[in-house]
Amino acid sequence: MSGPGDTEGTGAGEQGPPPELCPATAALDRMGAVLLWSTEAEALLGYSAKEVCGTPAVELLTAGGDREAALAARDRTGTGRGWAGVRALRHRDGREVRVALHVRPLTDREGRAGWSVSAGDARRIEREAADRAMMRALFEQNPAPVALMDGESRYRLLNAAAERVLGHPAHRLVGRHVGTDTSHVDPETTDRVLRQVRETGESVLGLPVRGSPPSGPDRDRWWSLSTFRLTDPAGRLLGMCQTYADITDGYRAERRMELLTKAGEGIGATLDVVRTAQELADVVVPDLGDVAWVALSEAVLEGDEPPKMAGPGQWNLRRTGVAPQGEAWPAGLPAAGAVSPTLPNHPLLQRIGQGETVLLPDLDSVIAAAEGHLELAHLFVPEHGHSAVAAPLFARGLVLGTVVVWRTRTTVPFRQEDADLLTEIASRAALGVDNARRYTREHRAAVALQQRLLPAATTDTPAAETAGFYVPAGDGAEIGGDWYDVIALPSFRVALVAGDVTGHGLPATATMGRLRTAVDTLADLELGPDELLAHLDDLVQQFQEEGTHQGDTVGASCLYAVYDPVTRQCTLASAGHPPPVVIRPDGTVRSVEISPGPLLGVGGMPFEATTFDLEPGSTVAVYTKGVIYRDDHDLDAGLRRLTDRLARLTGTDCELDGAGHELLQSLGDAPARDDMALLLARTRAIAPESTASWEFPADVSVVAAAREAAAGQLAAWGLDEVSFTTELVVSELVTNAVRYAGGPIGLRLIRGDVLVCEVNDPSNTQPRLRRAQWSDEGGRGLFLIAQLTTRWGSRYTRSGKTIWTEQPLTADPGVFDLLS
């Protein structure tokens, strides 16, 4: 069946289709008779081995020329040459089949010759050959990088694109295991993914991995890595395939958007300048660089505007936020809180002062920038720092500060797109810093206003020593309308006040100031606590009418308590305010049971006064709701917490100021949800031997008896030098009571740091100071009393009124000049 010279055949040494494409085989003897016939040959032509064996193979050829050529070749001596070609053979059913043949000469041990024939369907072979050519072209010419590995993760085939990605030609990689010396595309991840896919059979698609080739204009690339198994139809593992898609531009854009989103969400939400600076540093590390710091002008930290001068020597920057924090911060580099020295008028700093971002892409540029100022390099260049970018925090034409980012561990230098990204982040952060700075200034002004509106933190009177405390809400982030007050009243009494205006901010603070002033004014009228709150309620209703036009809601709670050190009693009333807590000298703690009235401004409801005894040395705690209000919204639980802390912290010999601070700190680590105002008062008493009282009928004759009783008591106290003045005061007051009020008439003297004289009568008519004409026979009594005493006044009681005077315990020589 040889056909030398056939144009469709191939010459000696040439190859036809691969053997696997010609599965049908046969063996011929030297004369061309069929000796062996495979089942594949039977399937190809339809003849069984029984039908074909022993017959000349040329009879299967349909073309006469093919048969003649085959017979001629058979008759020639020798074995001839092998050949390959396509011939038309006859199928058993009579049709013609084009078959690709491979004919090879055979020789046995005895030298007898024969032929080996392999054959396959020519049409199928042509299709598969074309498919193979297309697949090879697809693999070799595919612009997408493709690498084939065996089951042990060793490279088998790579196309040209994969060679460029991996950084090595194929002949250096084939047969080698995936590793750092064979791939610049994250070899650890690549190997791990190969083992995972081989073991699980599950493909890993679109995994972002980083590639850093050692050279080239762009040494930082990102690839989408896909890995899957290659198996035969039976599912047996043939190898592994990995493809790489360059996603650098998309990845960088996505990371840029993620970082901008992170910056937008994480910077400037607290209205705290220091925290905003730290948030900026935390955003850029490690996503943009390895080391970063934010330096702000000292003026900005105080809430003021930075200097308007462009020169860096005037910036006075303090390093406020740093990243990474703690032990990870580079040794030798100034940490948070460090103040920069006076900066030189360097061109780079001038550019920053003009709002420009400065890029130092490599070590050479860093060295060039430091030239002439090497003594400052250790303050601004971290160890192993090779690339930096610095951007100003620029707002309203002013440099609030700077943000500086270094790369120390990351080998890839900063590019212009990194500088542009930091510029945008710094621009957003600058708005947050400026907003926080403005808030700091306004908050400082509001706190200063409130502190001016509050009384002195501590007072010391014959009735009590006190200590007051105020803590704004949210750890100082927001002021409100809570207040406390200590008002000294005549006859050594003292009023303890606590109030809470609804809302926060300057409107609440302003309302608080108005209410505190109103309470001080009403206290001068010496009204009872219940009556005082009734007047205060009317005033708040007026505020509400004013607030309606301004869009404000006005409301408040208030507690007003009066302690009398002579009677050792405390009388109080509450307008929707929590009850005070009393710590007795024996250490027992309890809250006072009161009947609180409605909040101020509700109107139409009375207030009820409560009176209870207070031993000297007792501590009274009045407070606002913020002291007991926590996240659990349980005021009863908060009151129990307060009483427990007071029992441990407050004793008869402890300092009220220290106890109050420790108490507020112990009530919770979290910032208060509301303002906290606390007033601690430790009571004192006037000794019984320091008071004297008498009662007289309404008769003119009792005036002399009253003078005599007063003089005797002053002599017993050793106050003879003020006896003359006191006798005149007693005489005038008792005379007026007998003449205008009726009896009984009460007289009381109280000795303290001043001498108090009180005369009470059943009349509700208030005395009136007037200037008598020269011809009047009376009307000069109260005018004389006003000249002889330091102050005087009157107050209503349930059974009339009391007129009181105060005078020093030593005589004033000018009294006699006045009388003369």
Side-chain angles (χ1 to χ4, degrees), residues 5 65 73 87 91 116 213 229 325 427 488 496 554 593 642 669 769:
R87 296 291 184 267
H91 195 273
S116 170
R229 292 171 45 155
Q325 300 185 62
S427 177
L496 307 176
V554 180
E593 295 184 2
L642 175 61
D669 296 331
L769 179 66

Side-chain angles (χ1 to χ4, degrees), residues 490-785:
S491 303
F492 303 109
R493 296 169 305 142
V494 65
L496 307 176
V497 188
D500 184 358
V501 177
T502 57
H504 294 89
L506 285 177
T509 302
T511 301
M512 177 272 286
R514 298 176 71 183
L515 288 179
R516 178 172 176 255
T517 302
V519 172
D520 286 348
T521 303
L522 293 172
D524 282 343
L525 299 178
E526 300 193 64
L527 303 174
D530 51 345
E531 189 176 359
L532 183 144
L533 290 183
H535 285 282
L536 198 62
D537 180 58
D538 293 338
L539 183 62
V540 173
Q541 292 182 59
Q542 296 179 21
F543 292 171
Q544 289 175 342
E545 294 177 1
E546 297 173 3
T548 301
H549 303 293
Q550 300 174 359
D552 296 333
T553 301
V554 180
S557 67
C558 184
L559 178 77
Y560 185 82
V562 176
Y563 171 64
D564 188 338
V566 176
T567 63
R568 306 180 184 184
Q569 287 185 329
C570 182
T571 302
L572 62 85
S574 169
H577 204 82
V581 176
V582 176
I583 305 95
R584 304 285 181 179
D586 60 4
T588 59
V589 183
R590 69 176 180 88
S591 62
V592 180
E593 295 184 2
I594 61 175
S595 299
L599 291 172
L600 297 175
V602 173
M605 298 288 289
F607 299 96
E608 184 176 337
T610 300
T611 301
F612 58 96
D613 295 329
L614 267 180
E615 301 96 323
S618 298
T619 301
V620 181
V622 295
Y623 52 90
T624 56
K625 187 178 66 174
V627 175
I628 59 176
Y629 184 64
R630 289 295 178 268
D631 290 335
D632 55 10
H633 306 285
D634 189 342
L635 294 181
D636 292 335
L639 183 57
R640 288 193 296 271
R641 283 192 296 269
L642 175 61
T643 55
D644 291 343
R645 303 297 195 283
L646 284 170
R648 293 199 297 268
L649 297 175
T650 309
T652 56
D653 57 348
C654 73
E655 293 186 2
L656 293 182
D657 186 65
H661 283 104
E662 188 174 352
L663 172 66
L664 293 178
Q665 291 177 358
S666 68
L667 288 175
D669 296 331
R673 295 173 58 89
D674 198 0
D675 298 37
M676 294 191 295
L678 173 66
L679 177 63
L680 298 178
R682 181 171 294 133
T683 61
R684 295 167 175 160
I686 302 294
E689 56 270 19
S690 295
T691 64
S693 60
W694 302 268
E695 188 173 293
F696 304 100
D699 191 282
V700 177
S701 62
V702 303
V703 176
R707 287 199 306 267
E708 182 178 352
Q713 185 61 56
L714 292 177
W717 285 340
L719 300 176
D720 294 297
E721 60 178 307
V722 298
S723 179
F724 179 74
T725 305
T726 305
E727 288 183 53
L728 287 177
V729 171
V730 169
S731 178
E732 290 294 336
L733 294 180
V734 172
T735 299
N736 285 341
V738 171
R739 181 176 300 175
Y740 301 111
I745 299 170
L747 171 63
R748 184 168 70 165
L749 298 178
I750 308 173
R751 181 188 62 177
D753 55 352
V754 295
L755 178 65
V756 174
C757 176
E758 296 179 343
V759 174
N760 47 28
D761 59 56
S763 172
N764 289 325
T765 302
Q766 282 280 12
R768 181 171 60 89
L769 179 66
R770 66 186 180 90
R771 183 177 295 275
Q773 301 296 322
W774 65 271
S775 59
D776 292 343
E777 295 182 0
R780 297 178 178 83
L782 289 181
F783 178 78
L784 182 62
I785 289 173

